[in-house]
Amino acid sequence: MGTIPYMTSILFKHGRIIDPHSRLDVVGDLLITDDRVVAIGTVDNIPTGTEIIDCEGCIVSPGLIDIHVHFREPCGGRHEETISTGAAAAAAGGFTTVCTMPNTTPATDSPELISSAIEIAKNIGKCRVLPTGCATIGRQGKELAPIADMTRAGAIAITDDGDVVEDDAMMAEVLQVACEADRCFMQHCQDPKLTIGGVMHAGPIQEELGLGAWPREAEESIITRDLTLNKNIGCAWHAQHLSSGSSVAIIEAAQQSGQRATGEASPHHLLLTDEACKTLGTMAKMNPPLRTKKDIEAIKDGIKRNVITILATDHAPHPQETKDLPFPDASFGIVGIECALALYVRALIDDNTIDWPQMLAMMTSNPANLIGRSDLGRLEIGGKADITVINPQEKWTINATEFLSPARNCPFDGWNVHGKAVLTMLGGKITHTQVKTTSC
Ligand SMILES: [Zn+2]
């Protein structure tokens, strides 16, 4: 079969193959032919002409998934990122699948805009882009968006990210309709009544800097409210970008009572505290804000105990001029997709919070399961050849000027890190590589 001339085979040789879904962790070979995985672990027949990728010392993982990115297309005339540049940046970071947030201009609240995003991404081919659809028209919280129609057009999840769905009755309706459409709902947990004028974590540093306060309770109260509303609805409910340590316990209690509740952690909420607002200025302005060491420890403990099971970047490109403003006026957010892997290594593996298989589960099978894509985030015979080869030891320095994303708003610029995606493959096609291949 493998000798049919028009087929292309690639052998990933002698890598540490980790497939969190099947709990496989073995040193061996992996063969793909065309867009499919055909052998894992031991490869008996290597077709003539097979390309060989030496994976000695590297991890061979299912393609990484990031369920929270902002690619800003349609962009309303501004160009801090497009699906094209975002997809290239994702591939460079080791990602094969991303979920784009609908706070575009105009907001992604119709089946037409969902179809258009899918079409654009397909033509680029660098990364599988799965757009999410708005919960409410224009993300205004007033009128329900056509969730069922958007789902049929390919919306992978429902969210008004950037804003919370504030009204209780509207929220209950969104959960009901998302549940009927068999899609998860992703919440941006921010009670606007508690964050009026808020720009950073409420505490001594905020007081010292004289900036508006954004308390933890703004996040926790929305989580509590949503999980109460969802109790009898049973939608798959997901908390985006957790910042407060106390949020972990609220989610855990819901899980223990049998609710489908999950949460995600972003690199910046694992590595930076509110002190960074003093040293890095607006580069440390985030929504939700950076908090304290205590919060980081609680989120990491939640990760260790499998309460928080997903890692997501909240990659948020902004033009420099909107970050150059005074702190209260500057944009919230940072880019991170090209350096996320190394940052997670530093935050979670270097201090033994978790090991590689658990971390990769948080970047492959766990997010795939949340978005209902059991064909993604795993390595299996006959499955899609979405593969990321990671050199866990490779040392490098984050250099924002080298990002494929045109945005440069990254507080990790200049950090010395280790761990790098050295090859990314999407459906059998190499979308990023810094390794040489040989033929046999
Ligand atoms: Zn958000």
Side-chain angles (χ1 to χ4, degrees), residues 68 161-162 188 240-241:
H68 192 155
D161 182 41
H188 171 102
Q240 300 182 296
H241 43 49

Side-chain angles (χ1 to χ4, degrees), residues 158-318:
I158 302 305
T159 177
D160 268 356
D161 182 41
D163 286 297
V164 71
V165 179
E166 189 181 359
D167 182 78
D168 297 351
M170 176 58 73
M171 189 62 237
E173 203 176 343
V174 167
L175 289 168
Q176 186 66 50
V177 178
C179 188
E180 282 160 14
D182 202 18
R183 287 293 182 276
C184 75
F185 175 77
M186 301 174 170
Q187 184 67 289
H188 171 102
C189 306
Q190 175 194 353
D191 183 343
K193 293 187 285 300
L194 295 175
T195 61
I196 296 165
V199 289
M200 71 170 287
H201 172 63
I205 297 173
Q206 165 260 325
E207 282 172 19
E208 184 190 329
L209 296 175
L211 295 168
W214 187 309
R216 293 185 183 91
E217 290 77 7
E219 177 172 294
E220 297 156 14
S221 64
I222 292 294
I223 299 178
T224 303
R225 191 260 332 231
D226 279 14
L227 293 171
T228 304
L229 291 173
N230 195 35
K231 211 175 272 174
N232 294 319
I233 297 172
C235 187
W237 180 92
H238 178 73
Q240 300 182 296
H241 43 49
L242 290 168
S243 68
S244 165
S246 306
S247 297
V248 176
I250 306 171
I251 292 171
E252 186 171 20
Q255 290 171 344
Q256 283 167 351
S257 74
Q259 280 215 52
R260 297 161 74 193
T262 51
E264 74 191 28
S266 316
H268 41 286
H269 289 122
L270 294 170
L271 287 165
L272 299 173
T273 65
D274 56 347
E275 300 225 10
C277 297
K278 261 169 104 170
T279 51
L280 298 171
T282 60
M283 277 299 174
K285 185 179 177 186
M286 320 281 181
N287 177 351
L290 300 171
R291 300 204 185 270
T292 67
K293 272 209 178 88
K294 204 181 82 188
D295 295 283
I296 292 179
E297 289 314 315
I299 294 170
K300 282 165 78 162
D301 182 61
I303 288 172
K304 193 185 183 87
R305 295 184 299 107
N306 255 315
V307 176
I308 307 307
T309 52
I310 292 173
L311 295 171
T313 61
D314 191 8
H315 175 81
H318 290 292

Side-chain angles (χ1 to χ4, degrees), residues 125-148:
K126 276 264 171 185
C127 184
R128 185 176 292 102
V129 175
L130 305 175
T132 60
C134 290
T136 63
I137 297 287
R139 297 169 50 253
Q140 298 291 308
K142 303 232 161 16
E143 195 188 333
L144 197 68
I147 291 175

